[in-house]
Amino acid sequence: MKICNAAQSLSGLFLMLSPLLHAQPTEALVSKKHMAFFKNYCLDCHDSDTEKGEVNLEDLSFKIRSIEQAERWQDVLDSLNSGEMPPEKKKQPRSNEKADFLDDLSQTMVTARKILSDSGGKITMRRLNQREYQNSLEDLLGVKMDETILPSDGGSTDFDTVGASLFLSSSKLEQYLSVGRKALDEFFLKRAARNVEPKVYRVEPELTLNVERDKKLKAFQNFQKRSQSLKNELKRVAALPENKEIIAKLRKKDPKLQNLWRFAGQLKAGLNPKKYGFKTIKEAYSQAVRVSKYQMHYASLPHNDKGTYLMLTTGHFLIEIKPKQKIPSGTYTLRVAAGVTEDSPTYRHFIEVGHPEEGLNRKGQLDGFPIKALQVRGRPGHPEVIETQLTIQKDTRREFVIRERQPTEWGALRKVHQKEVERNGYGHEPAIWVDWLELEGPLPEGESMVILDQILDAHSEKRVRDPYRRARQILSDFAVKAFRQSDPDPAFISSLLTIFKKQLKVDQNFDIAIRKPLSIILASPGFIFLHEPGQEGKPRALSDRELAVRLSYFLWSSAPDEQLLNLAKEGTLKNSKILREQVERMVQDPKAHNFASGLVHQWLDMERLDFFQFNGIDFREFDENTRAAAREEVYQSFLYLLRSEDQGEIHKLLKSDYVIVNGLMASYYGLKGVQGDHYRKVSLPPKSPRGGLLGMAAIHVMGSDGRKSNPIERGAWMLRHILNDPPPPAPANVPQISRLDGKTLSKRQRLVAHQEEPQCASCHRKIDPLGFGLENFDAAGKWRSTYEVDRSKLSRAARKKLKGVKPSKLDPSGTIYKGPSFANYFELRDRVHDRKDDFAQGFIKALVEYSLGRPFAFTDEDLASQIMKTAKRQDYQLVDFIHSLVQTKEFQSK
Amino acid sequence: MRPDINRGHFLRGTGALIALPALESIGFKSNASAASKKPSKPPKRMVFLGMGYGVTNETWFPDKKDTGFDYKLSEGLNPLKRHKKDFTIVQGCKHKYSREPHWGSTFWLTGANKYDTPGQSFSNTISVDQVMANAVGKYTRFTSIQLDNLDSKSGGHGPGLSLAWDQRGKPKPAFKSPLKTFHKLFSADDMPLAQRKSMIADRRSVLDSITIEAKRIQKGLTKTDVDKLNEYYQSIRDIETGLSKEEAWLGIPKAKAPLNAPTGKVRGREEIELMYKLIVAALQTDSTRVMSYRLPVGNLLASIGGGRNPHNVSHYKPGETMESSKKKDKAHSELLAGLLDQLKATKEIDGSSLFDHVTVAFGSNIRSIHHMDNCPTFISGGGAKIKLGQNLVLPKDTPLNNVWLTMLQGSGIDVDRHGDSTGVVKELLV
């Protein structure tokens, strides 16, 4: 019911949108209230009479309308910020007065820059960005190309959908040509493997690892036994009366006869080492065969006859699966039957899958980051089977390993191991027991949805005998699909055919010769540009086909599917109700994940999440698996709201009584009973700090430097992305506070100092209180109630550094600048939740930039308030922001 | 193929000029040391080394009052002591439009105003190295070579793909790994000549094909979009120019590598050392005359025990971070001294050294912390006839582009301005 109403009112709005509704154009005005400041501190020297330093500010307009005026005001701002003006000898403004002026002026400058760079609602034709190109290729060829070889977006701070900032260069064009070819090679490999019978490759560790281990253990025990007998015999011989004299001599140098064996040759009735299986006596005293207590303990555990316990640092910590012959490209299932010990901590219930490191000096590391992390269920002796899918492409290494999850850097766990040995006598407690693992594949693809497969099947050799005719049909069909249902120039197809003919002579093989002309299609402008004809300054309505393309690149970051194109062909896509249905369908589709990750990553500026590596001792649980899962949690929380029928209020991202997590994140947050690697809604216990972005590990990691929390980073992030009040860009040339040089200050003292100097205070009075409100989260987003750390867990170097340092008190209380106070994190979160409208505004700006491909500008204010109005009427349901935007004239126009 | 839309027509139609290397010109054959005939006179070269975040203010700069040739070297520059007569520190310069205190490289060689184009939030102009490349690039196999590091995102370099920006203010791509650079420079193409010729012809027909499609797309586009599509045409033209160049160089084997191919993964300090060797090798073999390098920051710090957070170190405070910042300065000076050693030790055809014909500029658009005035500027080499050996303090806020202009003119490039330059720096002229 609600949905129908909304659709009607929306289409009504669409028609009613008239110039009368437009808000007053925004102006970049330096507030008149600063006239006095200006007069008092600037114009004395810089009026038209004096023009000190050839600077005359008297004729400087308080309204900024041109780049030239903006530059002059920028100079005023810069010289105040640098402390250069007013000069020391002259009258100085009061601290507050200066901070306020700086605050206003820097905001005005932001406004001015925005006005001056406003594209006026223009949507520039855009090249497919990296994600879109990758997805579009996947739709056509069923192959996902590694992003590291794709043409990069780089070179701009705008969203990756902003056409004006996506450049093309000769090197990129060459990259398009070569990547297209690589993708086609992959495609044909996969196609060739379509009829391969899947095979199962199985590893039973008790038949490999355990046997190896037991052999070593047996050798060790045997050695011990023989060595002991030899030692006993030596003692006996030494005690013989005929050796009394020589022993007495030896005792003079070595009273306890510790080195007796060295002189065994001098003894009478000497002993024969060969009798004990040794070549020399020395050998019996050597440590040639060594087995650690760690290994012995693991060998003594139950269920070793059926499986093996994964070790963490030395011994059997990897189980390898490496089919003997080269297995074909395709999708494979990896299954692991395993269990976890009852009393091990939950963070140790995960295995990671990866490729083993290469090289001679292997330390058991993975080659790069883990591909997947899997949660182990079941118990030793009673395993449960977990499974995941792996993609194997041409260059994928055909050997995989599993191991218990570990910190990325090598060696951290060795130090932990040492501590464990001191405690329990052998080292890491056993956690994961593995019964077997198997790799099965390539899996049958079923009815192929891959476009090129369909085209090749439709024009098979059987149906079309003449290779040139066949090539022409394939190339034409493929071009139409690649160009998203628009027809290529016939001359283009002819030129491709010429290339094919030449190639066929060289290659003598249709399937190889056709790849070159196909790859040219993948580098031609019809594919790599989202192009819409238009007239400058005269927006026109998009055609149905164009709308389908815009919509699908918006919500799927990929090309429209059959259904969208069919609706476009019928000319019904623009129908408000049908459009609505399509949006509903599209957000439920798995491809909507592209939207969530693409938009949210940029909206929340999540690049910083990958900046720092956390050390494995202080942050044992924050490894690459957690980093990936923490990132996914943010996307999944967004998707949950987007797909929710009526529980999708956007401000649940500010506060909620649930989280959307998988087993790994649940373990990280200390939530019990969450099993498996898919994300689902989990209710939180009362008083939990989780629930909403401010409780998510990813957000806090972004606001850290990999070691410590960074309240400034966090506070500024909140202003930008939560409260829609972005601080102006960090000014150049602000002097640091020299009074504090060389002093050890607590974090908070240092930040209080920020507010002394007006240049700093103008921004930091807003930033710092917010950042400090989040201090209960450490660098990796774990909750803490004090700065005191468990020093026993720290590395020796870290402990040494902390010696004699008393932790300062953790005080999250504060006052939002010109706003309410809060006593702790929970109150801060409530105050932030009160400002859900600001949060929604910020989201709309991101949404507009992302969907229309232009930085949000003042031209878009009307559009934004329309979306806000509709969304508010729908109780801020996330999907209604999308509906509302998609139904607007702006979205549907070129 | 329809004869009316071949690429040649199209290129002529849009007025594109392909600068084919003039094989018969004196410039080409006599200067290409890669060719069998050795050049009679060594050519001029330019190298730019950008460090992203700036230096330690307190210890890198020589005393501003202690100017001239008899100045006392600062702590940060001390490792360069043995070359003191052979470099000049220029103080007092800045780019007046540069206001992004975390962008040490984006505008360093351009001095452009980010906001210069109405209706856009970013714009840039040609960088000084590319001005040089446009003039001398035609004489060498590589018009210019840009080098970059693998973690350029967190090092305070700012947007861009390298230090270089082309004629239209668009970022120029770079080689990121020493190994790739080595192969590009020296690895021989073992394909037979006829086959390579035929491959070039094939690539031309690919360009012909996509040009047809570009013309279809162009119909009815707005002016802005045509500008975008022009990037595509321009890319085709650039590939075409490259092909022509490749064709012209087909008969000439790549230079013999004066060093072995790099092995293993190196990061940070060793990575820079290796890249410096490759820079010398590229110049020595006259494979190119213009090079630039965005130096690693995070990896450098990590490799010298300076922590993992370049941003924190750049905002140093007395104590640990300041020590790291000083360590970084020291490492850079040591590496630079090594580079100068090599340049001096490399002999040219006329008995002079490579050092005499190259100009090396090292620095950043950021002084230190958030300061963008008095950009650290280190100049060395005899290529631009710069007066070396001095601590030169120019009037406050002299355009840094004046220094770049001086370098260009000194290297024999016929330009009278670069960006917002107001004239050459007379004090730098011999």
Side-chain angles (χ1 to χ4, degrees):
Chain A
M1 191 62 207
K2 193 179 78 184
I3 288 171
C4 284
N5 278 340
Q8 278 156 13
S9 56
L10 267 171
S11 55
L13 268 174
F14 191 88
L15 295 172
M16 269 169 49
L17 207 70
S18 76
L20 280 176
L21 280 174
H22 282 264
Q24 281 291 311
T26 313
E27 289 179 326
L29 267 182
V30 181
S31 166
K32 286 271 189 261
K33 73 178 180 207
H34 295 303
M35 199 69 110
F37 181 97
F38 208 57
K39 235 181 203 151
N40 284 342
Y41 305 109
C42 309
L43 289 184
D44 249 11
C45 304
H46 301 293
D47 61 354
S48 54
D49 292 338
T50 328
E51 279 198 31
K52 186 104 192 220
E54 287 171 49
V55 177
N56 173 10
L57 297 176
E58 208 174 312
D59 62 347
L60 187 51
S61 165
F62 270 49
K63 194 194 267 176
I64 305 174
R65 268 173 297 201
S66 69
I67 291 176
E68 192 265 328
Q69 283 170 330
E71 287 306 321
R72 288 178 67 192
W73 275 109
Q74 186 78 50
D75 286 337
V76 173
L77 180 62
D78 288 353
S79 50
L80 278 163
N81 263 328
S82 67
E84 203 178 346
M85 290 288 146
E88 265 173 54
K89 295 170 282 189
K90 297 281 175 178
K91 186 169 62 173
Q92 295 296 319
R94 274 173 295 117
S95 202
N96 258 345
E97 202 180 6
K98 187 171 171 188
D100 288 344
F101 181 70
L102 282 172
D103 188 0
D104 279 5
L105 183 54
S106 46
Q107 292 294 356
T108 306
M109 286 310 300
V110 171
T111 310
R113 296 298 190 193
K114 258 178 145 177
I115 292 174
L116 293 168
S117 62
D118 194 330
S119 71
K122 205 155 56 184
I123 298 177
T124 307
M125 173 172 82
R126 85 165 184 260
R127 162 170 87 73
L128 297 183
N129 61 35
Q130 208 176 47
R131 299 179 295 114
E132 292 165 340
Y133 178 73
Q134 188 183 37
N135 297 333
S136 306
L137 271 189
E138 198 179 355
D139 283 350
L140 291 169
L141 307 177
V143 176
K144 189 161 193 158
M145 298 305 284
D146 192 291
E147 65 186 53
T148 53
I149 64 164
L150 301 178
S152 62
D153 301 333
S156 150
T157 47
D158 293 327
F159 279 13
D160 67 355
T161 52
V162 174
S165 301
L166 283 165
F167 302 114
L168 194 68
S169 64
S170 57
S171 62
K172 289 208 170 91
L173 183 53
E174 304 219 46
Q175 238 177 324
Y176 278 123
L177 284 161
S178 73
V179 172
R181 176 57 193 253
K182 269 194 189 128
L184 281 157
D185 289 343
E186 291 284 0
F187 164 83
F188 277 100
L189 274 177
K190 225 178 148 184
R191 186 173 164 83
R194 274 207 303 189
N195 302 318
V196 174
E197 215 30 54
K199 277 190 186 147
V200 180
Y201 308 89
R202 191 172 166 114
V203 173
E204 296 274 5
E206 72 273 17
L207 301 180
T208 54
L209 299 182
N210 288 7
V211 170
E212 200 182 298
R213 181 190 62 199
D214 292 345
K215 218 166 111 190
K216 207 171 155 192
L217 210 60
K218 222 171 176 179
F220 177 66
Q221 281 160 349
N222 175 283
F223 172 90
Q224 294 284 72
K225 212 168 125 195
R226 288 181 292 124
S227 163
Q228 200 50 54
S229 317
L230 182 140
K231 286 172 189 168
N232 292 342
E233 175 65 7
L234 182 61
K235 246 187 214 160
R236 194 188 63 78
V237 171
L240 290 176
E242 51 261 55
N243 285 324
K244 204 171 175 183
E245 201 175 318
I246 188 161
I247 291 290
K249 213 166 120 196
L250 287 175
R251 265 193 207 280
K252 276 183 194 160
K253 276 187 190 163
D254 182 9
K256 284 188 175 167
L257 290 178
Q258 275 165 333
N259 286 318
L260 179 62
W261 62 273
R262 289 181 192 278
F263 307 98
Q266 298 176 23
L267 297 177
K268 283 172 190 158
L271 79 173
N272 179 8
K274 296 203 174 76
K275 209 174 124 193
Y276 304 93
F278 296 111
K279 273 187 199 129
T280 59
I281 294 176
K282 188 179 172 188
E283 205 184 318
Y285 284 82
S286 74
Q287 297 280 315
V289 184
R290 256 195 303 185
V291 172
S292 65
K293 293 245 170 68
Y294 187 35
Q295 274 170 312
M296 284 198 275
H297 181 79
Y298 273 54
S300 72
L301 293 169
H303 311 296
N304 258 315
D305 53 332
K306 281 205 188 111
T308 200
Y309 288 86
L310 287 177
M311 301 179 84
L312 258 180
T313 36
T314 52
H316 302 140
F317 43 85
L318 290 178
I319 303 180
E320 195 164 329
I321 188 158
K322 186 183 179 183
K324 285 200 184 88
Q325 54 301 52
K326 186 167 174 173
I327 53 176
S329 293
T331 310
Y332 288 72
T333 299
L334 175 76
R335 290 188 197 90
V336 183
V340 288
T341 57
E342 205 167 341
D343 39 12
S344 50
T346 56
Y347 69 82
R348 292 193 58 196
H349 293 181
F350 297 86
I351 53 171
E352 36 187 46
V353 184
H355 299 292
E357 69 175 322
E358 290 180 290
L360 295 172
N361 189 19
R362 290 212 208 175
K363 289 172 178 162
Q365 290 286 83
L366 299 184
D367 184 9
F369 292 154
I371 303 168
K372 298 245 162 97
L374 302 171
Q375 188 173 22
V376 178
R377 290 165 299 200
R379 291 276 177 243
H382 304 280
E384 274 188 41
V385 179
I386 42 179
E387 64 172 54
T388 188
Q389 308 230 304
L390 300 172
T391 306
I392 295 184
Q393 296 193 343
K394 182 165 160 265
D395 296 330
T396 310
R397 288 175 56 203
R398 262 68 172 168
E399 49 185 328
F400 294 92
V401 287
I402 61 162
R403 65 173 193 177
E404 185 182 327
R405 70 185 290 200
Q406 292 195 15
T408 318
E409 91 220 78
W410 184 82
L413 290 186
R414 304 207 143 208
K415 291 171 190 154
V416 178
H417 181 75
Q418 247 6 72
K419 289 208 179 310
E420 289 290 278
V421 172
E422 284 164 31
R423 201 176 55 81
N424 62 18
Y426 62 87
H428 300 293
E429 310 257 357
I432 296 176
W433 177 84
V434 178
D435 188 342
W436 50 260
L437 59 158
E438 64 182 30
L439 191 64
E440 182 182 359
L443 301 179
E445 300 274 336
E447 185 75 10
S448 177
M449 293 301 288
V450 174
I451 287 169
L452 186 53
D453 268 329
Q454 292 170 356
I455 293 174
L456 291 177
D457 292 348
H459 306 290
S460 65
E461 210 175 347
K462 276 183 216 146
R463 290 190 196 175
V464 196
R465 282 281 176 72
D466 177 35
Y468 300 148
R469 237 185 77 213
R470 189 171 156 224
R472 182 184 281 278
Q473 287 169 355
I474 290 169
L475 292 170
S476 301
D477 281 11
F478 188 68
V480 172
K481 288 291 181 189
F483 298 170
R484 301 168 276 274
Q485 220 62 50
S486 69
D487 293 326
D489 191 322
F492 175 58
I493 300 298
S494 301
S495 75
L496 293 182
L497 205 62
T498 312
I499 290 171
F500 169 76
K501 284 179 184 169
K502 198 177 164 201
Q503 212 57 44
L504 190 59
K505 269 187 207 133
V506 179
D507 297 326
Q508 295 292 322
N509 177 324
F510 188 94
D511 277 1
I512 295 175
I514 196 76
R515 295 180 201 182
K516 180 149 197 185
L518 284 173
S519 74
I520 297 171
I521 294 175
L522 296 176
S524 56
F527 177 60
I528 63 175
F529 282 109
L530 297 179
H531 55 98
E532 298 151 348
Q535 243 183 309
E536 207 82 56
K538 283 189 191 157
R540 65 161 176 94
L542 293 179
S543 71
D544 279 74
R545 189 194 72 86
E546 288 166 336
L547 181 60
V549 173
R550 187 174 287 180
L551 192 60
S552 73
Y553 276 91
F554 173 35
L555 293 177
W556 288 345
S557 297
S558 189
D561 63 356
E562 284 296 323
Q563 197 178 134
L564 280 170
L565 289 170
N566 285 339
L567 288 169
K569 211 186 260 169
E570 288 166 16
T572 47
L573 186 58
K574 278 194 201 160
N575 175 306
S576 158
K577 195 166 153 268
I578 291 179
L579 191 53
R580 228 187 137 78
E581 285 165 8
Q582 285 305 307
V583 169
E584 291 289 350
R585 175 179 77 92
M586 291 175 81
V587 300
Q588 299 299 334
D589 189 282
K591 282 193 270 187
H593 190 278
N594 294 336
F595 170 62
S597 56
L599 171 67
V600 175
H601 182 85
Q602 302 186 82
W603 166 39
L604 299 180
D605 197 8
M606 289 174 66
E607 200 180 53
R608 256 183 89 91
L609 181 55
D610 292 306
F611 273 14
F612 307 106
Q613 202 185 59
F614 286 70
N615 86 60
I617 295 182
D618 300 343
F619 301 98
R620 169 79 164 88
E621 289 183 58
F622 196 82
D623 53 15
E624 290 310 320
N625 307 303
T626 308
R627 199 197 300 269
R631 184 196 332 268
E632 192 57 28
E633 180 197 359
V634 181
Y635 300 160
Q636 291 290 344
S637 303
F638 180 85
L639 270 178
Y640 172 80
L641 295 176
L642 184 68
R643 289 173 174 162
S644 167
E645 198 138 323
D646 54 2
Q647 300 287 311
E649 298 94 341
I650 192 170
H651 43 265
K652 289 208 171 130
L653 285 173
L654 298 177
K655 187 185 173 187
S656 61
D657 53 9
Y658 62 84
V659 282
I660 309 291
V661 290
N662 66 354
L664 197 147
M665 280 323 286
S667 149
Y668 197 74
Y669 292 154
L671 299 168
K672 294 203 177 78
V674 182
Q675 295 281 350
D677 302 303
H678 64 283
Y679 288 77
R680 85 296 312 252
K681 183 175 170 178
V682 175
S683 294
L684 289 167
K687 277 270 163 195
S688 168
R690 309 292 168 187
L693 289 167
L694 297 183
M696 291 186 198
I699 303 304
H700 296 296
V701 169
M702 282 152 55
S704 83
D705 64 2
R707 289 189 303 169
K708 290 178 183 157
S709 59
N710 184 334
I712 301 176
E713 209 51 71
R714 288 179 180 173
W717 182 87
M718 279 179 75
L719 285 173
R720 283 189 202 112
H721 303 293
I722 301 281
L723 299 176
N724 189 28
D725 181 19
N733 305 327
V734 172
Q736 295 209 53
I737 302 163
S738 53
R739 178 177 71 76
L740 306 171
D741 283 356
K743 285 186 189 154
T744 321
L745 296 176
S746 76
K747 226 186 261 178
R748 193 159 189 113
Q749 281 169 317
R750 202 177 280 286
L751 293 178
V752 167
H754 269 154
Q755 314 207 7
E756 263 172 40
E757 296 280 335
Q759 291 101 312
C760 308
S762 68
C763 292
H764 281 280
R765 58 191 180 186
K766 294 180 191 166
I767 295 173
D768 298 358
L770 297 170
F772 270 103
L774 300 177
E775 274 295 270
N776 282 117
F777 295 96
D778 72 8
K782 286 256 181 184
W783 181 261
R784 63 184 171 191
S785 45
T786 138
Y787 285 124
E788 191 103 51
V789 286
D790 181 357
R791 294 185 190 200
S792 68
K793 280 190 185 159
L794 296 180
S795 64
R796 197 178 303 157
R799 259 182 319 200
K800 211 170 152 193
K801 240 179 220 170
L802 282 178
K803 213 175 165 189
V805 177
K806 254 205 235 150
S808 47
K809 212 176 137 250
L810 196 158
D811 174 12
S813 69
T815 306
I816 296 177
Y817 182 65
K818 291 192 174 164
S821 299
F822 51 90
N824 52 39
Y825 160 73
F826 297 94
E827 286 187 23
L828 170 64
R829 186 173 62 173
D830 287 339
R831 297 295 76 79
V832 166
H833 186 259
D834 294 342
R835 291 182 58 180
K836 58 183 181 220
D837 276 22
D838 292 321
F839 179 62
Q841 292 283 6
F843 171 68
I844 291 171
K845 286 183 185 172
L847 193 65
V848 168
E849 172 162 357
Y850 184 84
S851 63
L852 299 184
R854 61 175 183 236
F856 185 91
F858 294 107
T859 323
D860 299 309
E861 293 285 3
D862 287 335
L863 173 64
S865 56
Q866 286 304 337
I867 299 172
M868 187 69 183
K869 237 193 227 159
T870 327
K872 235 173 160 168
R873 259 206 314 270
Q874 302 299 328
D875 198 21
Y876 301 89
Q877 298 293 316
L878 186 45
V879 73
D880 285 301
F881 288 83
I882 317 291
H883 282 309
S884 164
L885 170 67
V886 166
Q887 302 275 353
T888 60
K889 194 167 151 192
E890 282 83 352
F891 186 85
Q892 299 185 14
S893 313
K894 162 67 185 180
Chain B
M1 189 201 304
R2 282 194 344 224
D4 53 331
I5 31 179
N6 73 31
R7 186 195 60 263
H9 284 188
F10 155 68
L11 290 173
R12 274 191 295 279
T14 50
L17 251 179
I18 299 169
L20 289 171
L23 276 164
E24 69 285 2
S25 87
I26 29 157
F28 177 64
K29 224 169 196 169
S30 67
N31 274 299
S33 66
S36 53
K37 216 170 112 190
K38 294 284 177 193
S40 53
K41 202 172 136 237
K44 309 267 195 200
R45 288 88 147 196
M46 252 185 220
V47 176
F48 292 90
L49 309 168
M51 62 179 149
Y53 287 126
V55 296
T56 320
N57 196 40
E58 293 82 347
T59 53
W60 191 85
F61 290 98
D63 190 345
K64 268 191 182 172
K65 284 173 219 122
D66 184 18
T67 60
F69 295 86
D70 193 25
Y71 72 101
K72 188 171 173 288
L73 218 48
S74 60
E75 181 190 335
L77 292 167
N78 206 45
L80 280 151
K81 205 169 175 178
R82 62 181 180 276
H83 298 293
K84 185 168 179 256
K85 276 192 295 198
D86 297 317
F87 65 84
T88 282
I89 301 296
V90 186
Q91 301 202 52
C93 296
K94 79 164 191 177
H95 285 312
K96 70 174 174 196
Y97 296 118
S98 292
R99 297 190 182 96
E100 295 285 349
H102 300 108
W103 296 9
S105 294
T106 308
F107 300 116
W108 185 47
L109 302 183
T110 73
N113 186 348
K114 182 186 166 198
Y115 299 108
D116 212 33
T117 315
Q120 273 182 31
S121 53
F122 180 90
S123 84
N124 207 346
T125 53
I126 188 168
S127 53
V128 56
D129 61 309
Q130 291 304 300
V131 175
M132 173 89 171
N134 285 348
V136 303
K138 55 178 173 281
Y139 303 125
T140 52
R141 186 183 296 270
F142 299 93
T143 305
S144 67
I145 291 179
Q146 292 76 243
L147 304 174
D148 193 15
N149 62 86
L150 293 161
D151 68 344
S152 45
K153 264 188 181 158
S154 58
H157 286 290
L161 301 171
S162 67
L163 291 175
W165 298 77
D166 72 10
Q167 192 77 52
R168 295 158 295 147
K170 302 284 188 294
K172 296 276 289 180
F175 303 144
K176 284 177 168 245
S177 93
L179 187 64
K180 191 175 171 196
T181 311
F182 178 87
H183 286 312
K184 286 273 179 193
L185 278 169
F186 302 117
S187 290
D189 207 335
D190 42 19
M191 206 182 278
L193 194 63
Q195 204 177 331
R196 273 192 286 159
K197 271 188 181 153
S198 134
M199 271 189 75
I200 289 179
D202 282 356
R203 282 163 71 191
R204 286 218 161 95
S205 54
V206 170
L207 299 184
D208 283 335
S209 279
I210 54 181
T211 305
I212 301 172
E213 262 301 297
K215 294 192 103 178
R216 177 180 71 89
I217 303 297
Q218 193 176 339
K219 280 173 211 142
L221 289 187
T222 64
K223 199 193 143 291
T224 320
D225 290 355
V226 171
D227 283 349
K228 264 288 147 192
L229 191 62
N230 277 339
E231 284 178 19
Y232 193 86
Y233 285 130
Q234 185 64 41
S235 304
I236 294 179
R237 254 175 254 140
D238 289 347
I239 296 178
E240 169 67 48
T241 312
L243 287 177
S244 300
K245 196 157 186 179
E246 218 177 302
E247 207 165 33
W249 283 83
L250 263 185
I252 305 161
K254 279 188 183 173
K256 205 170 158 288
L259 74 173
N260 291 330
T263 48
K265 261 189 200 168
V266 289
R267 290 277 184 277
R269 196 186 161 110
E270 281 177 70
E271 175 186 354
I272 299 177
E273 217 170 336
L274 197 50
M275 283 296 210
Y276 280 178
K277 279 186 188 153
L278 288 165
I279 289 175
V280 174
L283 297 178
Q284 178 187 359
T285 53
D286 206 24
S287 301
T288 188
R289 294 176 190 175
V290 181
M291 301 194 77
S292 67
Y293 181 19
R294 283 206 304 195
L295 293 151
V297 184
N299 281 337
L300 173 63
L301 281 171
S303 71
I304 57 172
R308 285 183 178 162
N309 189 340
H311 184 252
N312 264 9
V313 171
S314 84
H315 290 51
Y316 62 83
K317 303 207 177 73
E320 195 185 343
T321 46
M322 186 160 173
E323 288 316 305
S324 291
S325 178
K326 282 157 83 171
K327 261 190 208 167
K328 185 179 82 137
D329 293 348
K330 186 166 166 258
H332 271 316
S333 290
E334 285 164 3
L335 288 161
L336 263 179
L339 174 64
L340 297 189
D341 285 338
Q342 289 180 65
L343 290 170
K344 285 178 179 178
T346 306
K347 287 286 164 252
E348 295 272 26
I349 192 74
D350 63 353
S352 58
S353 73
L354 180 51
F355 179 84
D356 298 329
H357 306 281
V358 68
T359 314
V360 178
F362 166 92
S364 168
N365 205 350
I366 302 170
R367 165 158 51 98
S368 53
I369 309 174
H370 264 197
H371 298 278
M372 308 203 70
D373 55 349
N374 192 16
C375 298
T377 311
F378 166 103
I379 299 176
S380 183
K385 300 188 208 83
I386 300 271
K387 205 189 271 181
L388 302 176
Q390 53 173 332
N391 174 27
L392 174 61
V393 180
L394 294 173
K396 191 173 167 338
D397 300 341
T398 301
L400 183 56
N401 276 333
N402 288 4
V403 177
W404 300 154
L405 180 70
T406 313
M407 276 173 60
L408 284 172
Q409 288 192 1
S411 303
I413 309 300
D414 186 20
V415 285
D416 49 16
R417 51 189 290 255
H418 178 68
D420 64 345
S421 69
T422 55
V424 293
V425 180
K426 290 197 185 66
E427 296 86 339
L428 281 175
L429 301 177
V430 174

